[in-house]
Amino acid sequence: MYRRLNWTDLWGVFFIAFVLLFGGGQVVQAANTTPKKAYAINAQLPANQVDNALQYWELRLAPNQQQTLNLQLANIGSQPITITVYANNGTTDSNPQIIYDRTAPAVYPKTAVSFASLVQGPRKKQVTLKPSQTTTVSFKIRAPAKQFTGMILGGLYAVADVTTDANATVRSRVAYQRSVVLQGNDINQVKPKLHFGTVKPAVQADNMVLRLATTNPAKMYGEAITTDMQVNRQGDIKRLVHSTSQDGKIAPNSRFDWQFNIHKLPAGNYTMKLVVSGNNVPKQTITRNFTIEGSQVQSVADYLGTNSPGKLAIIIILGILIAILLVGGWVLLYNRARMRNHNK
């Protein structure tokens, strides 16, 4: 008689299949808890910091007063790491959120005073740290010659390549940022003022998006921004797209394209209705008409046609490999059990 395979044998089959498929036939060792490349930053707040509970700079400077901004960097990995730090203007991305990673964009309007214009010396600095080493990167700024209202917003942006494979074609980067808020007169009375231009549909990979031209020329950021957006066919009350968002932030003196996902609408004429509000932004309703062209719909279809079969093929191949390994493992254990009983 042949021995019946028990659950221990079956678990052995699954283990063999998993190791062969994902481990390359080699024993996988436990990973080291210390990452190879990693770092941390800390804003060293000065004595004239307005609010010491914050983890970024909030300063009120006299005209032409100089101030040094010190950012501490620490290598917490097991390999050397090179970190680049920029002193940039605060800008708004398409989400919207306030970011500091763009070195070129100017403030809006151009007559406004930018944080970048106040930096004395280079706005880019780079250091290489050995494991466990710390250092401080410093930037000097000079306040405007005259008093100003509202705020001037900038930030220090640190970025490092943490790729550990020298031959990797895709690089991994880790970035951190710390705000620099320069307070002017009437800081609590100045409010953001949002203005909206035209809306344009655009193709983004396998989706269609709307991009609404938006400006905030005021010297104050918008906080806790919420939106409620819907899309209808022109002349039809049926809602085809609906989305909401919360906790948006808009930089002072900034211009950006506010982006909304509208999925895969067919070609035609549509109306977008957007309701915007925030903690310091009054409620506004924006209505814009737009047209989706047939060529845009085709671009989305072409992208899906190019990428979907490849993904499906990978899934099918993986399924076949798993099935082969499971069957092969079962046959192997079955024959071993048969041979043991034959030799008794």
Side-chain angles (χ1 to χ4, degrees):
M1 295 178 63
Y2 301 127
R3 184 173 66 91
R4 178 180 296 178
L5 294 177
N6 56 33
W7 279 107
T8 302
D9 296 324
L10 291 177
W11 279 115
V13 172
F14 286 114
F15 177 78
I16 292 171
F18 181 85
V19 171
L20 290 176
L21 185 60
F22 298 104
Q26 299 178 354
V27 177
V28 180
Q29 297 181 350
N32 193 334
T33 55
T34 302
K36 292 182 178 180
K37 286 194 174 184
Y39 72 104
I41 71 171
N42 178 52
Q44 296 181 327
L45 304 179
N48 59 332
Q49 169 80 3
V50 174
D51 187 349
N52 286 300
L54 302 176
Q55 296 183 0
Y56 58 87
W57 293 273
E58 189 176 66
L59 306 169
R60 181 168 293 180
L61 305 179
N64 285 321
Q65 179 181 343
Q66 287 194 345
Q67 180 74 50
T68 300
L69 306 174
N70 294 319
L71 185 70
Q72 187 180 49
L73 308 175
N75 184 352
I76 57 175
S78 61
Q79 294 183 359
I81 191 169
T82 298
I83 306 168
T84 306
V85 184
Y86 300 87
N88 292 333
N89 294 326
T91 58
T92 310
D93 67 10
S94 60
N95 285 331
Q97 292 294 322
I98 297 175
I99 56 175
Y100 305 99
D101 62 341
R102 299 174 184 173
T103 58
V107 294
Y108 178 85
K110 293 182 178 180
T111 54
V113 178
S114 71
F115 172 78
S117 68
L118 305 179
V119 179
Q120 309 293 296
R123 289 173 44 214
K124 174 184 176 181
K125 297 187 178 182
Q126 190 173 80
V127 295
T128 299
L129 301 179
K130 299 177 181 178
S132 302
Q133 183 181 359
T134 62
T135 191
T136 300
V137 173
S138 300
F139 293 89
K140 289 186 177 181
I141 60 173
R142 183 190 294 272
K146 298 180 180 180
Q147 289 284 0
F148 60 93
T149 59
M151 68 164 57
I152 298 173
L153 182 63
L156 300 189
Y157 176 79
V159 61
D161 189 331
V162 296
T163 309
T164 56
D165 183 359
N167 299 319
T169 56
V170 178
R171 314 299 297 180
S172 298
R173 291 177 174 83
V174 172
Y176 300 101
Q177 60 186 26
R178 291 293 183 270
S179 303
V180 182
V181 179
L182 303 182
Q183 295 186 351
N185 296 330
D186 303 323
I187 184 70
N188 296 320
Q189 279 69 48
V190 180
K191 304 295 182 183
K193 298 178 181 179
L194 303 185
H195 300 282
F196 303 95
T198 59
V199 66
K200 296 180 180 179
V203 176
Q204 185 169 287
D206 61 343
N207 266 323
M208 198 84 68
V209 298
L210 290 180
R211 291 173 179 163
L212 176 65
T214 308
T215 60
N216 175 26
K219 298 178 181 179
M220 177 54 60
Y221 75 104
E223 61 174 334
I225 305 295
T226 64
T227 65
D228 189 303
M229 189 275 296
Q230 68 178 40
V231 173
N232 308 67
R233 279 195 179 272
Q234 289 185 24
D236 192 346
I237 62 173
K238 182 180 179 181
R239 189 170 65 185
L240 301 177
V241 177
H242 179 240
S243 66
T244 60
S245 67
Q246 298 177 338
D247 298 325
K249 296 180 179 65
I250 297 176
N253 298 124
S254 66
R255 175 170 52 186
F256 65 101
D257 286 334
W258 206 328
Q259 186 166 293
F260 303 91
N261 192 347
I262 56 173
H263 309 295
K264 304 174 184 67
L265 290 177
N269 298 319
Y270 298 90
T271 298
M272 179 199 75
K273 181 180 179 181
L274 174 67
V275 180
V276 178
S277 62
N279 279 1
N280 58 349
V281 175
K283 184 177 180 180
Q284 301 179 65
T285 300
I286 304 96
T287 302
R288 296 288 188 273
N289 293 328
F290 64 94
T291 299
I292 295 178
E293 303 292 345
S295 58
Q296 294 175 310
V297 176
Q298 187 60 48
S299 295
V300 174
D302 290 344
Y303 181 90
L304 291 173
T306 301
N307 291 275
S308 293
K311 296 177 182 177
L312 180 60
I314 292 174
I315 294 174
I316 293 174
I317 292 172
L318 286 176
I320 293 173
L321 287 175
I322 292 173
I324 292 173
L325 289 171
L326 288 175
V327 172
W330 184 88
V331 171
L332 176 63
L333 291 176
Y334 178 84
N335 287 333
R336 288 177 60 185
R338 183 178 179 182
M339 291 298 296
R340 282 198 298 267
N341 284 278
H342 179 73
N343 293 330
K344 288 182 179 180

